[in-house]
Amino acid sequence: MAAKRAITVASGDGIGPEIMDATLAILDAAGAQLEIERIDIGEKVYEQGHTSGIANESWDSLRRTKVFLKAPITTPQGGGFKSLNVTIRKTLGLYSNVRPCISYHPYVATKHPVMDIVIIRENEEDLYAGIEHQQTDEVTQCLKIITRPGCEKIARFAFEYARAYGRKKVTCFTKDNIMKLTDGLFHKVFDEVAAEYPDIQNEHWIVDIGAAKLADTPEAFDMILMPNLYGDILSDVAAQITGSVGLGGSANIGQEYAMFEAIHGSAPRRAGQNMANPSGLLLGAVQMMVYIGQPEVAEKVHNAWLKTLEDGIHTYDLFKEGTSVEKVGTKEFAQAIIQRLGSKPQKLKEVVYNKENRKQIQGRFNPTVPAKKDLVGVDIFLHWNGVNRNPNDLGKILSGVKSGSFELVLITNRGVKVFPDGQPETFCTDHWRCRFTSKKMDQPGSYEHVLALLNQVHALGLDIIKTENLNRFDGKLAFSLGQGQ
Ligand code: NAD
């Protein structure tokens, strides 16, 4: 028998306590060797003044056990509250989100009877870095951060997962035809890492057509790897089209810590009525049992759950006259699974967790070799509201601003060139990007030149809202050109 493993458990809000009780009862009956430490998270904790929904002492338990089984919480409405999930993922470095999305046809109604996809979502970066600013009266921005170590970790994690679970193909979705540097890096690193795994097929789709294909023909995919935002949206789509978002479990894995949960929220309208389907949390817990090295328990629970679905014992969300046999509550559903522990599904595919799955999959990354970096200019962003917002007026005002070889070469508004030779039709906001480089962008300068430019612009009474340095890395321009440049 496995040694007892300490885990931290939070029952959350809404239907959380009911589905957690059901899940723990099933794990216990299946022989899980767990030592449970309980913490409070969610609504009550937010109300006590903890802006992230978790109290300081709860972190001690997480640091001790390193494994967190978490029920959904209700996020309070209104400003001032931070997302508990994002806080936990980032604080504990849970860089990968794993969501198996599987159809259970004909026992769960779905338009996609053949669907068995694992979605791997990068969990820490992208637009979720939470770095947002209002810069002018009219303009807000959110920084999209994509790092090489972040891409390497998640891409290796995806291919290691494919090997461990016998998956054949990893598909990457990005929008690198538009975001050439950020999504471009994600795609490039995917290709580099894919080359280390010749036994696994790989392919890349632009996310828009990829998403359409996923919604229409999910059987074309085996595993899909995505940056954070696309992964957040499309993993919900994928879970929903299997038949119910209530069936999806999710694992958040980092180098040292891991958190397991259901995909769905706290469904407050169903709370306290013994109605909720505990399957999402249970399948999250199944992933946890594999992770902590008790795969035989995971296998027993997962197969008993499949047999229960197959026997037509369904909670209200899955119940359908004709296919279902009995409509049951949360507790009765858990009891039905417990009664079937040790049996296997007859029609649905039996689950086997082999030795390979037991090893903890990790996404290594190589240290980045610093490149030779030359400064070839600067973008100075201005909040400017001149008469009629005429770009030629702003160009004229800035025409004398020079330092070293850096001078004004371009002004854009929302990324579109408006000076010199802009088109009169282009709509202009109060937010201007003014690019200073040498005429051909080929002569490096120093930061002193940038400071001199800033002093001159400031002396003209203009409102500088930010700057971005323009660099070459190993001789290659490392910034996007303005549309029309
Ligand atoms: P939800 O997932 O709670 O509910 C969506 C719909 O699905 C509802 O009709 C609900 O009744 C149904 N549903 C969800 N889970 C079910 C289950 N296990 N069994 C049966 N039916 C189920 O989403 P929502 O209503 O948008 O959000 C409710 C609250 O949950 C919000 O406060 C939201 O912020 C929070 N939330 C939390 C998490 C989390 O903690 N991980 C995730 C998503 C939403």
Side-chain angles (χ1 to χ4, degrees):
M1 194 186 285
K4 280 205 175 220
R5 176 68 153 86
I7 63 165
T8 301
V9 167
S11 290
D13 300 315
I15 58 170
E18 296 160 73
I19 60 174
M20 183 59 83
D21 286 350
T23 297
L24 293 177
I26 297 164
L27 292 183
D28 189 46
Q33 296 300 306
L34 299 173
E35 212 171 271
I36 289 167
E37 294 189 12
R38 287 188 183 265
I39 61 168
D40 274 337
I41 52 164
E43 239 176 344
K44 261 193 307 195
V45 184
Y46 278 112
E47 278 162 15
Q48 286 160 7
H50 299 280
T51 52
S52 298
I54 178 164
N56 293 338
E57 55 275 20
S58 299
W59 290 107
D60 297 339
S61 171
L62 292 171
R63 282 193 191 99
R64 223 174 7 249
T65 67
K66 299 188 174 10
V67 175
F68 188 20
L69 180 62
K70 176 185 152 293
I73 62 151
T74 303
T75 315
Q77 299 288 319
F81 299 111
K82 289 206 188 114
S83 157
L84 171 69
N85 267 1
V86 175
T87 303
I88 291 177
R89 285 173 190 160
K90 288 194 163 183
T91 308
L92 303 182
L94 309 179
Y95 65 88
S96 54
N97 183 237
V98 182
R99 290 186 177 191
C101 297
I102 300 163
S103 299
Y104 304 98
H105 175 77
Y107 306 102
V108 176
T110 166
K111 291 182 190 127
H112 299 288
V114 186
M115 175 167 174
D116 183 352
I117 301 176
V118 176
I119 295 198
I120 308 276
R121 159 187 170 197
E122 197 291 322
N123 227 359
E124 293 183 293
E125 304 192 341
D126 198 355
L127 289 156
Y128 290 59
I131 307 175
E132 289 193 296
H133 300 93
Q134 178 170 356
Q135 297 179 315
T136 68
D137 294 316
E138 294 180 354
V139 176
T140 53
Q141 78 160 21
C142 174
L143 282 188
K144 174 164 166 126
I145 309 263
I146 301 279
T147 72
R148 176 167 268 280
C151 295
E152 281 193 32
K153 280 196 295 185
I154 196 68
R156 281 212 181 78
F157 182 94
F159 282 97
E160 286 292 320
Y161 185 100
R163 266 194 189 156
Y165 285 85
R167 299 239 162 208
K168 304 275 179 292
K169 184 173 75 174
V170 183
T171 305
C172 176
F173 283 3
T174 70
K175 188 78 185 170
D176 67 339
N177 53 336
I178 303 294
M179 285 163 279
K180 296 190 168 72
L181 286 183
T182 47
D183 280 21
L185 179 62
F186 197 90
H187 184 179
K188 183 166 163 232
V189 172
F190 172 75
D191 286 345
E192 288 169 16
V193 172
E196 298 167 16
Y197 298 84
D199 48 319
I200 311 285
Q201 296 167 47
N202 70 84
E203 61 179 8
H204 173 269
W205 289 67
I206 299 294
V207 61
D208 38 19
I209 190 65
K213 180 89 175 165
L214 169 65
D216 181 63
T217 323
E219 60 274 21
F221 299 105
D222 189 1
M223 286 180 65
I224 306 178
L225 168 67
M226 284 178 270
N228 207 342
L229 176 66
Y230 316 139
D232 189 4
I233 298 166
L234 294 181
S235 59
D236 270 25
V237 171
Q240 183 69 48
I241 65 175
T242 65
S244 168
V245 84
L247 290 173
S250 140
N252 300 272
I253 313 255
Q255 307 286 25
E256 237 191 301
Y257 293 90
M259 173 168 85
F260 301 87
E261 59 184 340
I263 288 179
H264 60 75
S266 59
R269 280 190 312 128
R270 307 287 176 195
Q273 297 159 56
N274 189 38
M275 280 179 84
N277 185 350
S279 299
L281 185 61
L282 185 68
L283 292 181
V286 163
Q287 291 197 58
M288 176 184 79
M289 296 312 293
V290 177
Y291 178 86
I292 64 174
Q294 299 183 31
E296 56 291 340
V297 177
E299 191 172 304
K300 203 167 169 187
V301 169
H302 202 153
N303 282 323
W305 176 78
L306 288 167
K307 180 81 171 83
T308 309
L309 277 194
E310 210 180 75
D311 286 347
I313 318 270
H314 294 165
T315 42
Y316 84 93
D317 53 316
L318 303 183
F319 187 84
K320 217 169 177 198
E321 279 318 329
T323 38
S324 305
V325 174
E326 195 185 344
K327 192 193 276 183
V328 292
T330 315
K331 283 186 188 145
E332 295 72 26
F333 185 66
Q335 278 312 314
I337 297 171
I338 290 170
Q339 279 160 16
R340 286 165 179 77
L341 287 168
S343 28
K344 307 220 156 122
Q346 305 300 306
K347 305 257 170 50
L348 291 169
K349 201 167 129 212
E350 177 189 341
V351 173
V352 179
Y353 291 112
N354 62 39
K355 225 166 126 214
E356 269 298 284
N357 311 143
R358 284 175 225 191
K359 79 171 184 208
Q360 289 185 12
I361 298 160
Q362 278 304 345
R364 266 179 323 100
F365 65 96
N366 297 317
T368 307
V369 182
K372 181 173 176 302
K373 183 173 164 188
D374 317 301
L375 187 69
V376 295
V378 64
D379 279 345
I380 300 178
F381 290 78
L382 300 177
H383 179 181
W384 184 70
N385 230 338
V387 182
N388 296 331
R389 295 186 181 169
N390 183 340
N392 294 325
D393 293 347
L394 184 57
K396 209 182 278 168
I397 296 169
L398 291 170
S399 62
V401 174
K402 287 192 177 118
S403 179
S405 60
F406 295 168
E407 60 184 297
L408 182 71
V409 295
L410 169 82
I411 301 175
T412 67
N413 198 294
R414 296 191 301 168
V416 180
K417 184 171 95 167
V418 290
F419 177 86
D421 310 322
Q423 304 294 342
E425 294 82 9
T426 306
F427 174 76
C428 289
T429 66
D430 55 359
H431 182 275
W432 308 81
R433 186 259 303 261
C434 308
R435 176 160 285 180
F436 292 83
T437 64
S438 64
K439 281 221 163 64
K440 290 188 174 158
M441 283 197 294
D442 55 351
Q443 288 182 43
S446 73
Y447 201 68
E448 269 70 40
H449 294 125
V450 171
L451 292 172
L453 292 175
L454 290 173
N455 269 320
Q456 293 170 41
V457 173
H458 180 64
L460 289 167
L462 293 165
D463 182 359
I464 300 170
I465 49 180
K466 76 162 190 169
T467 64
E468 288 285 351
N469 293 344
L470 303 175
N471 292 300
R472 276 190 316 220
F473 282 82
D474 285 341
K476 244 178 95 184
L477 293 183
F479 49 90
S480 55
L481 298 180
Q483 271 167 26
Q485 188 178 15

